Amino acid sequence: MSVAGKTVLITGGGNGVGAETARQLRARGANLVLTDVDRSALDGVVGELGAGHALGIVADVTDLAEMESAVAAATERFGGVDVVVANAGIASYGSVLNVDPAAFYRVIDINIKGVFNTVRAALPSIIERRGYVLVVSSLAAFATGAGMAPYSASKAAVENFANTLRLEV
């Protein structure tokens, strides 16, 4: 699938894998809609990519309304979303007995609820445009280690979420 002229929504687009994915897709002609909770990081990446082909939106993936607003902004600017990359994610480390429960819940909220909210918000446009959904998981979904319960559980969950979505659409 060529991405030239396509609109790609990437969560966690201000840093790391999301930002680099945006750079690679822009080099192939895609328009980018990047979301992140870090405005300055977003501004930096959008400035690098060129404001004419990239839009940065501060949005928290744990909030469905914010993700729906991001998709609405993408649609207003570029006509819709062709590809969504549900990339935003965090990790927390520590044994089950010692991990801070709030940190565990935050990983689950961002890594699972965030993927659901992202896909749910973008799916009508993706279906209409016969587009593509990419859910970023991890090897930790299949092979884990001590101290990785929150992260591994969340990545296994989104792996299966993506498998189910594949059957549905």
Side-chain angles (χ1 to χ4, degrees), residues 28-88:
R28 289 166 176 78
N31 295 312
L32 287 306
V33 179
L34 309 177
T35 70
D36 207 300
V37 293
D38 183 345
R39 166 54 71 196
S40 64
L42 274 175
D43 289 347
V45 176
V46 168
E48 181 185 332
L49 298 174
H53 295 282
L55 174 63
I57 301 169
V58 174
D60 180 346
V61 295
T62 67
D63 186 321
L64 179 58
E66 288 189 23
M67 295 313 299
E68 289 170 338
S69 291
V71 170
T75 300
E76 182 177 319
R77 174 81 176 271
F78 297 115
V81 175
D82 298 288
V83 177
V84 64
V85 181
N87 166 70

Side-chain angles (χ1 to χ4, degrees), residues 119 123 127 133 135 158-169:
V119 173
L123 202 53
I127 291 170
V133 174
V135 172
V158 300
E159 184 71 27
N160 280 300
F161 173 83
N163 288 336
T164 301
L165 181 66
R166 184 177 301 113
L167 295 173
E168 293 178 358
V169 296

Side-chain angles (χ1 to χ4, degrees), residues 60-142:
D60 180 346
V61 295
T62 67
D63 186 321
L64 179 58
E66 288 189 23
M67 295 313 299
E68 289 170 338
S69 291
V71 170
T75 300
E76 182 177 319
R77 174 81 176 271
F78 297 115
V81 175
D82 298 288
V83 177
V84 64
V85 181
N87 166 70
I90 63 169
S92 175
Y93 303 99
S95 69
V96 172
L97 187 59
N98 293 315
V99 69
D100 176 3
F104 183 95
Y105 302 144
R106 186 77 178 138
V107 169
I108 298 304
D109 279 350
I110 292 171
N111 294 7
I112 301 174
K113 185 178 173 184
V115 167
F116 172 81
N117 289 342
T118 299
V119 173
R120 175 70 179 255
L123 202 53
S125 185
I126 298 293
I127 291 170
E128 177 185 326
R129 292 168 164 251
R130 302 182 58 78
Y132 191 80
V133 174
L134 175 66
V135 172
V136 176
S137 184
S138 169
L139 181 59
F142 307 101

Side-chain angles (χ1 to χ4, degrees), residues 14-35:
N15 294 289
V17 170
E20 185 57 28
T21 300
R23 289 181 191 101
Q24 295 296 320
L25 291 170
R26 180 66 211 123
R28 289 166 176 78
N31 295 312
L32 287 306
V33 179
L34 309 177
T35 70

